[in-house]
Each structure stands twice: as structure tokens, then as C-alpha cells.
Amino acid sequence: MVEPRTTYVGENLDTPHSLLPMRKAFNGTFLVAGGYGREDGNKAVAEGTTDLVAYGRIFLANPDLPKRFELDSPLNKYNRDTFYIPDPVIGYTDYPFLETTS
């Protein structure tokens, strides 16, 4: 299920528990998407409002998103202007990976 995009609060959407009725009606694994970040995604799983959270734009801009979430590292900002352009590289494979020291 995708959270509706109706009310913007800065970069985030204000739609608390909008999918809860569907979650209660569905008996299978429940997957949500729609503007989640690390904290609110973890909270949604912890509170049982979903089983899994999908990340789109922030995963595109952060090819190492699981590692960044694990380390609570800053995220690259996505560039909406490069979405759905014909260039096969710019906007899809040019975002930097997290710099870590071994």
C-alpha cells in the first residue's frame, strides 16, 4: 500500500495511520511505501502498522541505504529533476556511496 500524498509538512507527509484500516482488514504480509524515513519506518514496523517498509526515492539516492540506516548516517538528497530522463546514468547510478574507514 502507498500512503496518500495529501498534506505536506516540509519534506514529509502528515498522514498518520491512514493505512491502518486496510492493515486490519488484510491477513497477509503488509508492505507500505510513501515518504518513509528511517525513524518513521522503524516506528511503523515496531507499532505493528506494517510488516515491511519500501523505500523508493531515498534508496535511489542512497545505494547503500541499509548501511546508512544501520549507522544512522546522513542521506544523499535525491534530485527529482533527474527522474525519468533518457540518460541511463545521470540520476540513477551517479549518487555517491557512504565514505567509511575500515
Side-chain angles (χ1 to χ4, degrees):
M1 300 301 296
V2 177
E3 289 282 357
R5 300 178 187 274
T6 54
T7 305
Y8 284 96
V9 178
E11 278 282 318
N12 296 318
L13 303 171
D14 187 17
T15 56
H17 311 294
S18 62
L19 297 179
L20 197 52
M22 287 174 251
R23 165 68 165 157
K24 290 178 179 179
F26 186 70
N27 293 324
T29 301
F30 199 71
L31 175 74
V32 298
Y36 285 90
R38 179 180 181 265
E39 290 78 23
D40 53 353
N42 285 340
K43 182 179 177 185
V45 172
E47 292 179 349
T49 56
T50 191
D51 296 308
L52 301 165
V53 177
Y55 298 94
R57 293 169 291 188
I58 65 170
F59 216 136
L60 176 69
N62 297 277
D64 52 358
L65 186 64
K67 181 55 105 178
R68 288 176 188 258
F69 277 4
E70 177 186 344
L71 299 173
D72 199 14
S73 297
L75 301 178
N76 298 320
K77 294 197 182 287
Y78 57 83
N79 181 354
R80 189 180 300 273
D81 292 338
T82 64
F83 292 177
Y84 309 111
I85 63 173
D87 191 304
V89 176
I90 295 177
Y92 289 96
T93 62
D94 62 335
Y95 288 101
F97 282 81
L98 183 64
E99 300 266 337
T100 59
T101 55
S102 300

